[in-house]
Amino acid sequence: MSSFSWSVIDEMERMKAELDRVLNGLNYSGFRSVLPGSSARRYPLLNVADDREEFVVDALVPGVEPASISITVAGDQLHVGGERLSISEKVKSEAIHRSERPAGKFSRSITLPAEVDPEKVTANCNNGLIRIRLPKSERAKPKAIDVKVG
């Protein structure tokens, strides 16, 4: 008899790890909501837009008190952190039938495409969406160069 042992669970874990590796390498996020553990690493979800003068970052933070959110900027690094509170402590744990919304502290840092001016950064929170405006530093703004003839 062979000493070879095969486990369906081990094989599924290996396949999930391989799929995570491939999708992360492609920056593909389509399956992250169905792969356990992958979505928790990417909170809050962010959109980053760029125009000639500033970056605009929208961060989804439903159910988070704006006072618990911290935003820091250094050079081209943006950090968003905070805490999402759990279900009210008045509710007994045995009364909870389902709890799918994660709670606790969160932290996310991203590298922006260029350096920003930290003195001019603004942030507003409305209905669970934080809009962060990050004006580019003067060095990072595109400069038009005149071409002289002769």
Side-chain angles (χ1 to χ4, degrees):
M1 194 140 177
S2 169
S3 65
F4 175 80
S5 82
W6 180 80
S7 165
V8 172
I9 301 298
D10 290 342
E11 184 64 16
M12 289 176 68
E13 285 294 324
R14 187 195 64 72
M15 289 171 49
K16 179 193 171 299
E18 181 65 16
L19 186 58
D20 280 346
R21 185 188 65 76
V22 169
L23 293 177
N24 286 335
L26 297 173
N27 288 325
Y28 182 77
S29 61
F31 293 121
R32 283 199 170 91
S33 62
V34 295
L35 295 175
S38 296
S39 60
R41 293 189 296 262
R42 300 259 187 214
Y43 187 85
L45 298 176
L46 303 174
N47 287 347
V48 180
D50 182 359
D51 68 23
R52 294 183 67 82
E53 299 295 317
E54 68 182 357
F55 298 108
V56 179
V57 176
D58 288 335
L60 286 176
V61 290
V64 177
E65 287 294 323
S68 78
I69 298 168
S70 69
I71 299 169
T72 57
V73 178
D76 63 353
Q77 298 292 309
L78 170 66
H79 175 82
V80 179
E83 183 171 12
R84 179 187 274 171
L85 299 177
S86 61
I87 295 175
S88 172
E89 292 178 8
K90 295 177 185 176
V91 177
K92 295 180 181 178
S93 61
E94 60 270 10
I96 298 171
H97 295 280
R98 184 178 297 246
S99 180
E100 295 180 351
R101 191 189 72 159
K105 294 186 181 207
F106 60 87
S107 176
R108 177 116 188 247
S109 294
I110 63 167
T111 301
L112 297 166
E115 193 172 302
V116 299
D117 183 347
E119 301 300 320
K120 296 180 181 175
V121 174
T122 61
N124 286 335
C125 188
N126 188 23
N127 294 328
L129 176 74
I130 300 173
R131 173 152 291 165
I132 308 166
R133 295 188 173 278
L134 303 120
K136 294 178 184 177
S137 70
E138 287 303 316
R139 305 189 286 197
K141 291 180 184 175
K143 303 285 184 212
I145 309 297
D146 291 331
V147 178
K148 296 181 178 156
V149 178

